[in-house]
Amino acid sequence: MTEMVKQIKRRGVSHEPGLPTLEMKHVSVAYAAGANDVTSARSTQYAVEDVTFRVGAGERIAIVGPNGAGKSTLLKLIVGTLKPSQGEIDIFGHGPDGHICIAYVPQRSQIDWSFPVTVEDVVMMGRAGQIGFFRWPRRADWQVVKACLARVNATHLAKKQIGELSGGQQQRVFIARALAQEAELLLLDEPLTGLDIPSQDAIFEVLESLRPDGVTVVVSTHDLNMAAERFDRVMLINRKVVALGEGTAVLTTENLMTAYGGHMHVVGDDMLLADTCCDHGEENQ
Amino acid sequence: MDWFLDPLQYSFIIQALLAAVIVGVVCSVLGTFVVLRGMAFFGDALAHTILPGVVIAFLLGWPLAVGALIFGVLTAVGIGVLTERGDLKEDTAIGVVFAGFFALGVAMLSMSDSYTVDLAHFLFGNLLGVTQADLWTTAVLGAIVLITIFLFYKEFLVISFDPVLAVTLRLPITFLRYLLLILIAVTIVVSLQVVGIALMLAMFVTPAATASLLTRRLPTMMVVSASIGAFSGVAGVYASYYLNVASGPAVVLIATTIFLLVFLFAPGRGYVWGKLV
């Protein structure tokens, strides 16, 4: 009994069996302060508007859309750093607040890579919740860190300062941190940006290896081909959900025109997107 | 060795040395978080805003630490309230509170008879006037700060490196932030006699900045920073004894000299190294 109490405490809020990993119902986020005011509802600007979807355990979803479409906003809502102005977000049947099973891999531009920590220090940070207050990592925790680094093929990097890593290695180390956190819902913000193809493949290999454990993966990306080829479902958004489903069904010319509007040019049978940049977008600021 | 042993025959020198070592270590260890979190301006402000509290305690004969802590917390809360609405930037709010409280402190002190001497001691420290009782307060408060850092090390590391991770781990972020502010306030009190308000910032920032140029892991950075802080304290007392300069500035100048040497000549990362390769 005490063991169970400890378990629940350690795992955050309990997970109701049979409920979807992630569910959003009519979620909107208004831009400016005071926008929640009912009287000014007509002029309210939304970062995301009326978003409804659910994701099952072990599923992998790619969120695509132009800059400012609300991709990062959606991830922040799931993490819990941002509260919706309207609607409801449930993770295993509860709001994001109590969960320690959600892991977030930030965009690389958001991390101070000169920070004096080694790779194994970063992965160990994921254990801080499990270790609990007033305790230092024990041998078992270091073994978890080792195992997590091995799963992302980064064992040889353990002692390196994080600034010495390549972009792909940095992403894999943060995925290892998510594993050390014992995450069941893994969120990655633009993980593929600026990576070469072998590095991208290495990340997909790692994500694929999590499938048997039932880890759910939600990724925001600019790469439409990658989204269509590598994910179970694709969500195309531009503030509102334009389409959600299998990649080929979602990424039709019509849907893309709706989402990207003036940023897209149709040349014969080919489409050109004028909006594929990432690291300088206003979403990253 | 005579030059080293000679001053030790005076008990006030021994007390000054002990105080300088404790303050050097405590400031430099906490300073690593101040540097990594970019809180230098806040630390400088806090050092100045506690002045009214210290003056009130001084005039009423209370322990200085009590007055300083009250105004330290008032500062932290005040800045929080001013920035809450979102129409004032944090550094602007810090600037307003910083100057306002400092002026209040100086104004109150100016009503005392020994105004100039007292003000000089508060501003620049009075290391050679450290009493046995002062030393005990310094040691106990310093130990509390170091133990708290030890207990909350991994949480402080997480909120400093990746605040979003702290959210997903559901750490009590507001509590941890305030705890860090209170630790800074306590450390300022501890250091008041050694370096004084005006040069406090140097003890937080300079040894930690020097250590950051030499190390790649936080625990090592803390040890190196503490060593530089302690050494600067001791060397500062000797410089003060032999050269007859004020002790606070002497400590800070030595820490600054070490920083410059490391900045220029650090293996692999120094300025000169960069020019040579």
Side-chain angles (χ1 to χ4, degrees), chain A residues 79 81 96-97 99-100 102 104 115-118 121 125-126 131-136 162 164 177 181, chain B residues 36 150-155 157-158 160-162 164-165 167-172 176 216-218 221:
Chain A
V79 170
T81 47
D97 276 350
H99 290 281
I100 60 166
I102 308 166
Y104 175 77
F115 206 94
V117 281
T118 59
D121 292 334
M125 283 187 213
I131 295 168
F133 277 113
F134 307 127
R135 295 218 186 91
W136 282 68
I162 50 169
E164 300 171 52
R177 188 182 78 177
Q181 198 181 335
Chain B
L36 290 174
F150 182 79
L151 287 178
F152 289 95
Y153 173 81
K154 66 181 184 311
E155 285 80 12
L157 178 61
V158 170
S160 304
F161 178 65
D162 186 352
V164 181
L165 177 69
V167 173
T168 67
L169 295 173
R170 312 301 160 193
L171 298 179
L176 290 168
R216 285 161 194 281
R217 278 192 83 191
L218 186 50
M221 180 176 166

